């Protein structure tokens, strides 16, 4: 198989590079849709500097890194919100590796991680314009639900019993 998914320290160089790619893409998509512009470099640097992935560390969470043919290609994070409920965060596959099955493998590994942390349910949120993400979650048997948070960027909320 050409994919591997393993736990990764949230502050590793590979995780940091993938976080930058993730944030650049979702931010640019948002601003292009709402303001007809890309993210300004200073906005990007400010948001990356204030991002905190520390909740994606054991014993309450985990960052997972997917590699495609040995190269870092994507991430997914899991964090416990309650002893029974985990949240899926920042599922991302870089553009050149999309469509090769990595996202489903990442989500499956995140579900296994959540179970190992004791969770019986996974929740997540996403935006309307992230149509690929919504299609993935629906394909993986996540059900759209009422809002479970008040994140200003969240427009769709999903849950799945583990």
């Amino acid at each position: 198989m050409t994919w591997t998914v393993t736990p990764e320290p949230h502050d590793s160089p590979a995780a940091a590079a993938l976080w930058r790619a993730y944030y650049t893409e979702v931010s640019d998509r948002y601003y292009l849709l709402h303001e007809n512009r890309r993210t300004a470099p200073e906005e990007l640097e400010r948001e990356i500097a204030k991002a905190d992935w520390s909740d994606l560390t054991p014993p309450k969470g985990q960052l997972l890194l997917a590699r495609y043919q040995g190269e870092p290609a994507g991430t997914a994070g899991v964090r416990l919100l309650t002893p029974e409920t985990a949240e899926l965060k920042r599922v991302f596959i870089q553009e050149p590796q999309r469509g090769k099955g990595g996202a489903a493998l990442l989500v499956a590994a995140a579900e296994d991680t959540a179970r190992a942390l004791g969770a019986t349910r996974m929740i997540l949120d996403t935006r309307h314009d992230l149509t690929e993400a919504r299609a993935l979650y629906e394909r993986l048997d996540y059900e759209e639900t009422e809002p479970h948070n008040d994140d200003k960027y969240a427009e769709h909320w999903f849950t799945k019993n583990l």
Side-chain angles (χ1 to χ4, degrees), residues 24-39 126-132 134 152-153 155-156:
T24 300
E25 181 172 335
V26 297
S27 182
D28 279 352
R29 284 175 76 159
Y30 179 84
Y31 283 121
L32 284 168
L33 179 65
H34 296 284
E35 298 180 17
N36 198 32
R37 67 176 181 90
R38 294 196 178 278
T39 310
T126 192
R127 294 191 331 231
H128 186 72
D129 63 307
L130 300 177
T131 56
E132 305 91 338
R134 291 188 0 252
K152 73 178 189 174
Y153 297 110
E155 297 169 316
H156 295 270

Side-chain angles (χ1 to χ4, degrees), residues 1-21:
M1 179 175 258
T2 56
W3 286 100
T4 59
V5 178
T6 56
E8 181 81 12
H10 76 280
D11 56 355
S12 75
L18 287 164
W19 163 240
R20 179 176 287 281

Side-chain angles (χ1 to χ4, degrees), residues 21-67:
Y22 164 86
Y23 186 78
T24 300
E25 181 172 335
V26 297
S27 182
D28 279 352
R29 284 175 76 159
Y30 179 84
Y31 283 121
L32 284 168
L33 179 65
H34 296 284
E35 298 180 17
N36 198 32
R37 67 176 181 90
R38 294 196 178 278
T39 310
E42 63 275 4
E43 287 175 300
L44 181 65
E45 294 308 317
R46 183 181 63 244
E47 293 302 314
I48 288 172
K50 78 177 188 181
D52 180 10
W53 285 43
S54 63
D55 57 349
L56 302 180
T57 58
K60 299 274 185 171
Q62 184 66 65
L63 178 67
L64 301 170
L65 194 129
R67 287 180 171 78

Side-chain angles (χ1 to χ4, degrees), residues 97-156:
Q97 288 79 33
R98 290 184 188 158
K100 298 176 180 176
L105 287 174
L106 262 172
V107 173
E111 291 170 355
D112 289 344
T113 298
R115 284 184 201 95
L117 293 170
T120 57
R121 178 173 78 118
M122 184 83 86
I123 63 172
L124 64 96
D125 63 68
T126 192
R127 294 191 331 231
H128 186 72
D129 63 307
L130 300 177
T131 56
E132 305 91 338
R134 291 188 0 252
L136 171 71
Y137 302 133
E138 290 170 2
R139 189 172 75 247
L140 298 177
D141 297 324
Y142 282 78
E143 294 180 14
E144 193 154 2
T145 65
E146 293 299 314
H148 59 257
N149 64 26
D150 59 359
D151 183 319
K152 73 178 189 174
Y153 297 110
E155 297 169 316
H156 295 270

